[in-house]
Amino acid sequence: MYKENDQSQGGKLEWRLNVADGTSTTPEKLEPESCRRVNRICGRLRGLLMDVLVKIWMFLETVWNLGKNEPKKVIHCLKVGMALCLVSLFYYMRPLYDGVGGNAMWAVMTVVVVYEYTVGATLAKCVNRVVGTSLAGFLGIGVHWIANQSSEKMEPIILQGSVFLLAASATFSRFIPSVKARFDYGAMIFILTFSLVSVSGYRVDKLFELAKQRLSTIAIGTSICILTTMLFSPVWAGYELHSLICNNLEKLADSLDGVAECFKNGVGDAKEDAFSKKSQRYKCVLNSKATEESMANFARWEPTHGNFNFRHPWKEYLKVGASMRDCAYYVETLNGIINSNFEPPEFLKKHLGGICKKLSSSSSDILKELAIMMRTMTKSSRIGLVVEEMNFSVEDLQNALKSLPNQSVSSPEVTAADSCNDTEEGEPNTKPQIVPLMEIVPLVTAASLLIEIAAKVEGIVEATNHLASRAEFDDGDSQDNVKLMTLQKV
Amino acid sequence: MYKENDQSQGGKLEWRLNVADGTSTTPEKLEPESCRRVNRICGRLRGLLMDVLVKIWMFLETVWNLGKNEPKKVIHCLKVGMALCLVSLFYYMRPLYDGVGGNAMWAVMTVVVVYEYTVGATLAKCVNRVVGTSLAGFLGIGVHWIANQSSEKMEPIILQGSVFLLAASATFSRFIPSVKARFDYGAMIFILTFSLVSVSGYRVDKLFELAKQRLSTIAIGTSICILTTMLFSPVWAGYELHSLICNNLEKLADSLDGVAECFKNGVGDAKEDAFSKKSQRYKCVLNSKATEESMANFARWEPTHGNFNFRHPWKEYLKVGASMRDCAYYVETLNGIINSNFEPPEFLKKHLGGICKKLSSSSSDILKELAIMMRTMTKSSRIGLVVEEMNFSVEDLQNALKSLPNQSVSSPEVTAADSCNDTEEGEPNTKPQIVPLMEIVPLVTAASLLIEIAAKVEGIVEATNHLASRAEFDDGDSQDNVKLMTLQKV
């Protein structure tokens, strides 16, 4: 790292530093301890800085991807900014400001607190806020009036007692599932307003005036929220739920396609490519319960939009979702079995592989047909046909399993050639040889899981048909494309 | 309904009404149309009233049961009431009220909005509120200062522009998963405070004074929340998460016990009693992901409590939870197979039933052992032993399956007697007769699912052991009872 020149050059020491990588420029031997420590600290700081920079970079990348993949969310943010600018105009225009007094703050607060991503959630919060505030306001004024009638000593006791009782019971109501689902926010606003009114009433005389102003500012805030959220590219919870269910149907279909592909290529092969990519898509279905439930809750508040009217049977979507999850559990298990690296005997692969592939394809076809039916909101004339096709495949697979004992005890060499051509060959083979059952167990398990999956798919068909009749889907097929286009525009 | 007396009694018509059930007292023939309509409406109203009463009664029953089953929630409600009474003292005590001016309202609001069920959630909201308010307050004052320096025309433009930009970007940040999990509330408070400060600054000159008062009231509110939530029977998110995982382990174990019982009684029987009650308990595990995640999020904010210190590895609990869900999916499938009403041949039931029962019992034992290990927070010396036992059972089952071909092709009558006694009898039977594979498929599927479940249980063991080493569980066994008692006291 450093060179010491000849002492001959006038006995003067001269240092020459060879800076190679810019990280260490001081000679190690002669530098004092403190210098080295500083260096070490610098190095560490640099490392830390790099770490932080990399993390910031990754964070920004996540943010960028989020914005790019979901432009709706970006638009929502702009809408929030716009609503806040609109409501803050109340501060800048003197006549408006004078009209509501110092309470303009409440309008701003309402916009910030109430503005949600979907129209339904925003509406739910608006209604909750208005109802909760009015109810608590009137109750608060009533309690205050009662307290005023009593002696001066009793007044704070009555007020405090009522706050304690009502706050405790309203808080408890938030634990009740049916209340929590729809009126959680309202209960909180009720506690807030009641406490403020009944407590501040001790000081402020003009409670009615205050209540009027408060309600009018909240009305201003909520109407700005409702207008901006509904007029500028609205995000409807109902439509989102509808899309979620359609997407999940397609994802489940893709997974079954992946399974089919896997059977086609031979169970042991092609796990990396076809299977892992496609057939992992069902995983989204497993954990979508909470999202579906909250969406359905919000959708109930929404007015007619697109093809969904006010009394659209949103609860039926939850049933379709539940039946899909039931199916996805089986797909998860099948996935595990297929991925457990078993190698079925060649003759069995040929004997069952084709039928298994056919069954999973036809199950997948049904799900795709259901997805189209949902997207176009038109009853499908084909659905009966594809279900029948699947049932034939189930029967085929069952027959193939029935004819298996003959296969399983015959040697691969003897039967490989003829067994794959004719799957329902019923006569027992004449030269039975033992093939251990263990080798055929995984494939047999996979086949019987496929049969169970077919049953679950029928459950999905039933739930979707029920939804279709409750939601009064159209009968014809001709309007498919028109409808699809309308839906895409929403 | 009515009797017409003899005309002989002076030609006078006399009505006698036989009131039988009190529902219809007017004679039908002669009453006018309007009367009947009123009756019908009365009847309907009565029906409606009954419906409403029944619904209210059922609602009250739900509420009562909720309170009875979870007294912690009732206590929480009382705590909220108490905190509100405490904070409202600021209104009644003149020196306190004068100290914070008219801003005492903010203290009440803080208590209502910030008070959550668990300590962790309350702390998270408190920190979010304080940090969000301070950050936005200072930024707002800064922007206000800049706007003041510019021309009068530019002032509202700068203020509005900054509100638009910051509100939009803070709203967007709430969509980023990592921000949403920890700082969602803070981002909302940031938007709220910034809008209020930068907008109201147009009117109010004493911004700094206001900011000081606002922060002090928020500090009062948050400290009352933190004190009451931590001092009076605190509900720790960490402890709740820990209990949830323990309970889920036990529920999964119960389900496997149910499966074992089912195999013991013969697969087709006892579905109603033993199976349906016990083995449905795993269903809770399927949908606990969201709860676990939010609990783990809140637990990170909590200080040391009970056996959990500040840096307790809460994320590891999520891994244990995920591995349990993986297992529960298989249990769900197995459940479906067992419930599908198949009737395996008697000899096979005897041949496989016992081993299947043994395997599910030993899997269940492991889960119970893990639950004890978690509850006592002590590493188990037995766990290796029970895992080994399960692995032996897996091997037994695999061997039994291997020896099956000989069984499956022999007639039940010949082998029933001897096959069940010796499960690993390897020699082929001398008189093979065909038993259709279809009959043995469900049981074979169930058996191979049990083997997969055993593998998943090993995954749970691994995750739990990892948690145990990260959380530094104790080594000894002697302290079990002491620890269990300490935990129960928390």
Side-chain angles (χ1 to χ4, degrees), chain B residues 138-150 158-159 207-208:
Chain B
F138 285 116
L139 248 175
I141 290 173
V143 168
H144 198 253
W145 183 80
I146 293 173
N148 265 342
Q149 305 296 312
S150 58
I158 290 177
L159 289 175
L207 264 184
F208 266 107

Side-chain angles (χ1 to χ4, degrees), chain B residues 61-315:
Chain B
E61 219 175 356
T62 316
V63 172
W64 177 255
N65 286 334
L66 188 70
K68 210 173 62 178
N69 297 335
E70 300 188 69
K72 269 186 189 177
K73 289 188 173 166
V74 179
I75 293 173
H76 168 73
C77 299
L78 300 180
K79 276 159 68 184
V80 172
M82 197 176 65
L84 272 174
C85 287
L86 269 179
V87 83
S88 63
L89 284 181
F90 277 81
Y91 275 91
Y92 299 116
M93 295 184 188
R94 190 158 283 277
L96 286 176
Y97 185 80
D98 291 342
V100 292
N103 283 309
M105 185 191 84
W106 290 97
V108 175
M109 195 179 281
T110 303
V111 170
V112 174
V113 174
V114 149
Y115 216 109
E116 292 278 330
Y117 181 52
T118 58
V119 176
T122 310
L123 281 176
K125 274 200 156 178
C126 285
V127 172
N128 267 297
R129 190 170 181 99
V130 171
V131 173
T133 308
S134 335
L135 211 68
F138 285 116
L139 248 175
I141 290 173
V143 168
H144 198 253
W145 183 80
I146 293 173
N148 265 342
Q149 305 296 312
S150 58
S151 66
E152 200 158 305
K153 264 196 174 177
M154 282 298 285
E155 195 173 332
I157 296 175
I158 290 177
L159 289 175
Q160 290 262 316
S162 65
V163 165
F164 182 85
L165 271 181
L166 279 170
S169 41
T171 306
F172 189 74
S173 79
R174 296 174 71 188
F175 286 122
I176 303 164
S178 54
V179 176
K180 190 177 175 59
R182 303 192 76 176
F183 307 113
D184 189 56
Y185 183 67
M188 199 184 77
I189 289 296
F190 176 87
I191 304 173
L192 178 62
T193 310
F194 184 79
S195 317
L196 285 182
V197 169
S198 70
V199 166
S200 73
Y202 201 62
R203 302 273 157 199
V204 186
D205 292 330
K206 308 170 205 159
L207 264 184
F208 266 107
E209 182 63 17
L210 196 77
K212 213 190 76 190
Q213 282 186 348
R214 188 72 50 87
L215 275 179
S216 62
T217 46
I218 289 182
I220 290 166
T222 48
S223 37
I224 286 178
C225 283
I226 293 174
L227 284 178
T228 50
T229 197
M230 281 173 70
L231 292 184
F232 302 98
S233 73
V235 180
W236 302 100
Y239 178 70
E240 296 287 308
L241 174 62
H242 187 87
S243 300
L244 179 71
I245 295 285
C246 294
N247 287 340
N248 280 353
L249 278 169
E250 279 160 6
K251 282 175 185 167
L252 211 51
D254 278 349
S255 294
L256 288 174
D257 271 345
V259 171
E261 216 147 311
C262 200
F263 276 113
K264 185 178 138 203
N265 300 339
V267 186
D269 322 327
K271 265 167 217 162
E272 285 314 307
D273 306 336
F275 195 74
S276 63
K277 266 186 216 155
K278 261 193 163 179
S279 57
Q280 298 298 315
R281 298 195 70 196
Y282 70 91
K283 298 244 180 205
C284 299
V285 183
L286 290 175
N287 292 315
S288 60
K289 196 185 176 209
T291 318
E292 282 168 18
E293 277 174 1
S294 71
M295 291 279 190
N297 249 327
F298 294 142
R300 287 197 278 176
W301 297 90
E302 288 174 350
T304 303
H305 59 279
N307 289 305
F308 314 106
N309 52 31
F310 184 63
R311 292 221 155 270
H312 199 74
W314 298 115
K315 277 194 175 174

Side-chain angles (χ1 to χ4, degrees), chain B residues 286-477:
Chain B
L286 290 175
N287 292 315
S288 60
K289 196 185 176 209
T291 318
E292 282 168 18
E293 277 174 1
S294 71
M295 291 279 190
N297 249 327
F298 294 142
R300 287 197 278 176
W301 297 90
E302 288 174 350
T304 303
H305 59 279
N307 289 305
F308 314 106
N309 52 31
F310 184 63
R311 292 221 155 270
H312 199 74
W314 298 115
K315 277 194 175 174
E316 297 297 324
Y317 283 85
L318 297 183
K319 287 180 193 162
V320 177
S323 65
M324 272 197 282
R325 262 191 302 287
D326 274 354
C327 182
Y329 295 142
Y330 279 80
V331 177
E332 160 87 11
T333 313
L334 178 60
N335 207 354
I337 301 271
I338 292 180
N339 276 332
S340 64
N341 276 325
F342 66 95
E343 194 50 61
E346 199 56 39
F347 81 97
L348 196 70
K349 242 196 227 175
K350 281 190 182 150
H351 179 66
L352 283 182
I355 313 171
C356 284
K357 181 193 159 290
K358 206 178 135 205
L359 178 52
S360 37
S361 301
S362 57
S363 306
S364 159
D365 283 348
I366 292 180
L367 293 176
K368 280 179 199 155
E369 185 64 30
L370 288 179
I372 293 173
M373 179 171 146
M374 292 283 287
R375 277 205 198 283
T376 56
M377 295 188 80
T378 314
K379 278 177 192 160
S380 162
S381 52
R382 271 191 63 219
I383 194 74
L385 215 72
V386 278
V387 169
E388 212 163 298
E389 204 174 288
M390 182 183 75
N391 285 336
F392 280 134
S393 300
V394 169
E395 257 173 56
D396 279 355
L397 184 54
Q398 277 169 336
N399 286 333
L401 286 173
K402 268 180 203 157
S403 69
L404 253 191
N406 328 327
Q407 316 282 351
S408 74
V409 290
S410 1
S411 84
E413 294 74 27
V414 179
T415 49
D418 47 35
S419 69
C420 57
N421 299 330
D422 189 1
T423 51
E424 284 184 61
E425 182 177 64
E427 298 144 49
N429 203 293
T430 41
K431 283 183 197 172
Q433 284 183 24
I434 306 293
V435 166
L437 190 68
M438 262 321 267
E439 277 187 23
I440 69 163
V441 164
L443 193 54
V444 168
T445 307
S448 77
L449 283 180
L450 265 179
I451 293 173
E452 293 287 332
I453 286 174
K456 295 289 169 190
V457 168
E458 269 198 89
I460 303 176
V461 172
E462 212 169 282
T464 315
N465 277 337
H466 199 237
L467 166 65
S469 68
R470 284 286 311 279
E472 292 168 3
F473 281 12
D474 286 342
D475 279 317
D477 279 73

Side-chain angles (χ1 to χ4, degrees), chain A residues 63 77 88 91-92 94 105-106 109 160 164 168 172 199 203 329-330 333 336 402 404-405 437-438 445 448, chain B residues 77 81 85 88 91-92 94 106 160 168 172 176 196 199 203 329-330 333 336 402 404-405 437-438 445 448:
Chain A
V63 172
C77 299
S88 64
Y91 274 91
Y92 299 116
R94 191 159 282 279
M105 183 192 85
W106 289 96
M109 196 179 281
Q160 290 261 317
F164 181 84
F172 189 74
V199 166
R203 303 272 156 197
Y329 295 144
Y330 280 79
T333 313
K402 267 180 203 156
L404 253 192
L437 189 70
M438 262 321 267
T445 307
S448 76
Chain B
C77 299
C85 287
S88 63
Y91 275 91
Y92 299 116
R94 190 158 283 277
W106 290 97
Q160 290 262 316
F172 189 74
I176 303 164
L196 285 182
V199 166
R203 302 273 157 199
Y329 295 142
Y330 279 80
T333 313
K402 268 180 203 157
L404 253 191
L437 190 68
M438 262 321 267
T445 307
S448 77

